[in-house]
Amino acid sequence: MVFKRRQPLGWGAWLREMVYPKGGFKRATRYVIHRMSRLPDDPHRIARGVFAGFLVGFLPLPGLQFVAAWAAARLVRGNLLAALLGTFNTNPVTTPFFAVFAMSFGHWIMGVPGKLSFEAIIDAFSVAGADLWRNIVALFTPATMHWGGLIRFWHEIYVPYFIGALLPGLVISAIAYYVTIPLVQTYQKARAAKADDRRERRHRLKLAVADAKNRLLHRTDKDGESRPAGDDTGAGAN
């Protein structure tokens, strides 16, 4: 199976792998690329899946990336497994830096007034989180719901983040699409060549075994014909 491990990870090990892979991000990236190249599908379908997964991986869709990648892959008729693998293009180390860049870029595109600072981002998250918790409590108590922090978060953080991530995400995903096609084609050709070589060696081995068997049978028949007929009768008479 494509995703099955020989030794399944526990929850603690899985969380550690999500934050920092055991072999480092370089090895994890090579592993994902290797898995993509081994997918048994048309290179263009795999590339379209990679495009969908990469794009979704850049967008702020916490908890919905796999679902969104599946939907995007179906939309562009790409390989579903490639799309799921493509969502791993981001990691917990690089995501915060990209998020700040995307929010700043989104603010510039939308013309949102005011300079976006790290403190402003943290404050928007904390106020929105407090409003969200207060509203959940209000569902079960007479408390009043508050939406000001969530509305502010939506307009000042999430929408700029989404727009700011969409444009560079499209560019990087397009690059990944065009890089994936020759990469998969090269791997599939090499794999097909190895399969043909193994098939040819098995064929030659079968021919050699058949030839050796025929020579052995021919030699046995020849020895039987060269043996005097009287030897058998004489031995029977004695």
Side-chain angles (χ1 to χ4, degrees):
M1 295 179 65
V2 176
F3 295 108
K4 189 174 182 180
R5 288 177 173 267
R6 294 181 180 178
Q7 296 180 352
L9 294 176
W11 283 105
W14 181 81
L15 288 174
R16 288 195 302 271
E17 287 284 328
M18 289 296 101
V19 176
Y20 187 82
K22 185 177 180 180
F25 290 114
K26 182 177 180 180
R27 183 179 178 185
T29 302
R30 292 177 59 186
Y31 174 80
V32 172
I33 293 174
H34 176 69
R35 287 300 188 185
M36 283 183 182
S37 62
R38 288 175 60 89
L39 292 175
D41 203 350
D42 178 73
H44 291 273
R45 274 181 51 84
I46 295 174
R48 288 196 295 269
V50 170
F51 174 85
F54 259 63
L55 180 58
V56 169
F58 284 113
L59 300 179
L61 299 169
L64 297 174
Q65 283 195 335
F66 278 4
V67 176
W70 175 84
R74 293 293 299 270
L75 183 64
V76 299
R77 297 182 180 180
N79 185 279
L80 299 180
L81 292 179
L84 296 180
L85 286 169
T87 60
F88 291 98
N89 61 333
T90 54
N91 58 72
V93 175
T94 60
T95 296
F97 298 98
F98 178 78
V100 174
F101 163 77
M103 281 183 257
S104 301
F105 188 45
H107 272 235
W108 178 76
I109 294 175
M110 297 175 63
V112 177
K115 184 179 179 181
L116 184 67
S117 63
F118 181 76
E119 292 77 11
I121 295 174
I122 295 299
D123 181 65
F125 268 95
S126 61
V127 174
D131 278 3
L132 181 62
W133 174 251
R134 191 180 296 111
N135 292 347
I136 292 174
V137 173
L139 291 174
F140 307 97
T141 64
T144 304
M145 291 187 176
H146 295 269
W147 298 96
L150 291 170
I151 294 174
R152 174 193 167 194
F153 178 83
W154 175 263
H155 289 291
E156 296 184 5
I157 301 297
Y158 187 83
V159 175
Y161 185 177
F162 192 94
I163 294 176
L166 183 60
L167 294 180
L170 284 171
V171 174
I172 298 175
S173 300
I175 295 173
Y177 169 83
Y178 286 106
V179 169
T180 300
I181 294 175
L183 180 68
V184 175
Q185 286 176 338
T186 301
Y187 181 85
Q188 290 183 349
K189 288 179 180 179
R191 193 174 184 183
K194 288 182 180 179
D196 292 339
D197 183 61
R198 288 195 298 267
R199 194 179 302 111
E200 180 64 24
R201 281 186 291 175
R202 286 196 298 266
H203 180 66
R204 289 199 300 265
L205 181 61
K206 288 181 180 179
L207 291 178
V209 170
D211 182 63
K213 181 180 179 181
N214 290 333
R215 283 188 293 173
L216 181 61
L217 291 175
H218 180 71
R219 181 177 179 181
T220 303
D221 293 341
K222 186 175 180 181
D223 290 344
E225 291 176 359
S226 63
R227 184 182 302 167
D231 290 350
D232 294 338
T233 56
N238 292 332

